[in-house]
Amino acid sequence: MKKINPKPKMKINKNSLSKCPLLLAFLLMVAASCTNNQEKEKTFEKPNIIYILADDLGYGDLSFLGQTKFSTPNIDKLAAQGMVFTQHYSGSTVCAPSRSALMTGLHTGHTQVRGNRGLNGGQFPLKEGTQTLASLLKKAGYTTGAFGKWGLGYPGSEGAPLNQGFDVFYGFNSQTIAHNYYPRELWDNDKIVTLEGNQGTDEGQYAPNLIQEKRLAFIENNSDTNFFLFAPTIIPHAELFAPEEYMEKFLTKTNPEPPYQYESNLGPETHYNGTDDPEHPRYKMGGYGSQPYPHAAFAAMVTLLDDHVGQIVSKLEELSILDNTIIIFTSDNGPHLEGGADPDFFNSNGPFQGYKRDLLEGGIHVPMILSWPAQVKKGSQSDHISAFWDILPTFSEIVGVGTAGALDGISFLPTLLGKEAQPTHSHLYWEFHEKGGKQAVRKGKWKGIKLDVFKGNETIQLYDLDQDPGETRDLAADFPEVVEELKSLMQRSRTEDAEWPFEETIEKNVKNN
């Protein structure tokens, strides 16, 4: 191709401008035009948004982050095509409050749902009129759909998904029913769908696959408009079940796994899947099903999740809408220990210590990938410290719709666009209403954790995350001034809520003791 030389620069005598008003006016018009063009370059077409939320997936459960027992090629590819956030935190260390922080832009010191407390066969509900991520995007003209596990309001409550900004919902409206991969029923909007086959056995219908079909249909049906797809999968939450074709990949390609013994399940409540062998129970009615091959099952489940991510990307490519679609992949908290899960075998927490229900890094430091081919640099990485409550203000800025009331989150859009002017958090805060009550604060490199809050404990563990991300060396005795600062932040970062009392519980316990 012939190279075209640039035009020579025109030199203008500034003194002559005042003598030629027509020339001055012309130059001002040109300058204004250039400015307008530059402003247009800063704007972009509103993107589609897909938020994929894994359930109890650890930081180390993805092969691009170090998993070696199995691979996640589709999620790895998504990471390679977008931005990986290395310092991202979930809303909480269990399901419901983590989702509440995501949906409201408020951390657990302010959000409405601060624990997994059940109510009327479901979960404690968000209130009517709550500003949620879905209602905000709906206000901006988006079609909104949720497919998977909700957990922020029992069916018919003000917190049910159709009352919180979603146009359509399909999946588990109750976290309790979401414990089962072969359930008796799912919810289709506000109607119960009874599934065929035997509940709790592989003769039934595998719910994650049914829900995935609905996600793909939603994308196809709304490909000509802006849509928000919320995909809170139940994988790899206990119980540990995967379709047989996925189980076979790991039972035949790896060393045979010795059957796992569940002596506690050997009772009259145990139901066996086509066998009377009491040493290998497959399913227990109520709670989690029993799995004789938990290692193979876990690897099979995450492999299926990876395939689901690949199917979503392929559908976007097929419809030619991938380029301007934001895809976020993350997890609601750290790895679980229930149902025979073995996070230590898989090194599921990666470099961190702790599990689900801990406020150590292993319980709340989660993987986060954001792909947006039209705007986000391929293969990029950010160490910007962010959390679930940042998602709402980020999407608010992207779609150009204002928010009401104070938020705990801040937009990380500048980071996505490679801008330097990225606001940062003064600190991050969590509280947890189980296991005696817990609080945690991260401020810069410092992380403070307080346990046994309900007993009035004031001792804080202090860790330097820059030097000790595994939180193995408590430095509280060496930095008392930092401890006092974090203790003050714990007190100032929450509002007492009658539904989730801290202060009242502390006072009652101290008085009784």
Side-chain angles (χ1 to χ4, degrees), residues 165-218:
F166 285 102
D167 295 311
V168 294
F169 171 77
Y170 185 88
F172 296 95
N173 207 326
S174 165
Q175 289 181 182
T176 303
I177 298 176
H179 290 166
N180 301 128
Y181 281 76
Y182 294 96
R184 69 176 180 270
E185 65 192 32
L186 292 173
W187 282 83
D188 187 353
N189 291 325
D190 56 354
K191 302 290 191 302
I192 294 178
V193 177
T194 302
L195 303 181
E196 298 177 358
N198 295 329
Q199 177 198 4
T201 77
D202 54 12
E203 295 176 4
Q205 292 181 277
Y206 193 72
N209 284 342
L210 297 177
I211 295 168
Q212 175 71 356
E213 291 173 6
K214 296 291 185 179
R215 294 182 190 123
L216 297 176
F218 177 82

Side-chain angles (χ1 to χ4, degrees), residues 17-201:
L17 290 179
S18 59
K19 300 178 181 179
C20 187
L22 290 177
L23 177 60
L24 178 61
F26 172 76
L27 291 175
L28 290 173
M29 289 175 58
V30 170
S33 176
C34 291
T35 300
N36 289 336
N37 287 336
Q38 290 172 355
E39 290 298 320
K40 288 180 180 178
E41 289 176 2
K42 294 180 182 178
T43 64
F44 39 75
E45 181 184 355
K46 286 195 296 189
N48 300 310
I49 298 169
I50 299 176
Y51 192 97
I52 305 170
L53 185 64
D55 199 339
D56 298 356
L57 185 83
Y59 191 88
D61 283 329
L62 303 173
S63 48
F64 85 94
L65 289 175
Q67 182 55 241
T68 59
K69 297 294 197 321
F70 55 85
S71 63
T72 52
N74 293 302
I75 297 172
D76 295 354
K77 183 178 179 182
L78 192 70
Q81 292 178 341
M83 178 177 288
V84 174
F85 284 71
T86 63
Q87 299 284 330
H88 190 66
Y89 288 90
S90 61
S92 180
T93 188
V94 293
C95 303
S98 196
R99 286 160 169 73
S100 185
L102 170 68
M103 283 291 150
T104 64
L106 300 170
H107 59 54
T108 44
H110 297 135
T111 197
Q112 295 174 27
V113 180
R114 305 188 190 184
N116 268 352
R117 174 152 55 95
L119 188 66
N120 294 340
Q123 269 61 54
F124 188 85
L126 292 173
K127 296 177 182 177
E128 181 180 0
T130 299
Q131 176 180 255
T132 65
L133 182 56
S135 66
L136 194 76
L137 292 172
K138 189 174 175 64
K139 182 180 176 182
Y142 279 67
T143 301
T144 58
F147 302 87
K149 184 172 90 172
W150 177 236
L152 292 174
Y154 55 88
S157 72
E158 55 190 347
L162 297 187
N163 295 329
Q164 293 295 334
F166 285 102
D167 295 311
V168 294
F169 171 77
Y170 185 88
F172 296 95
N173 207 326
S174 165
Q175 289 181 182
T176 303
I177 298 176
H179 290 166
N180 301 128
Y181 281 76
Y182 294 96
R184 69 176 180 270
E185 65 192 32
L186 292 173
W187 282 83
D188 187 353
N189 291 325
D190 56 354
K191 302 290 191 302
I192 294 178
V193 177
T194 302
L195 303 181
E196 298 177 358
N198 295 329
Q199 177 198 4
T201 77

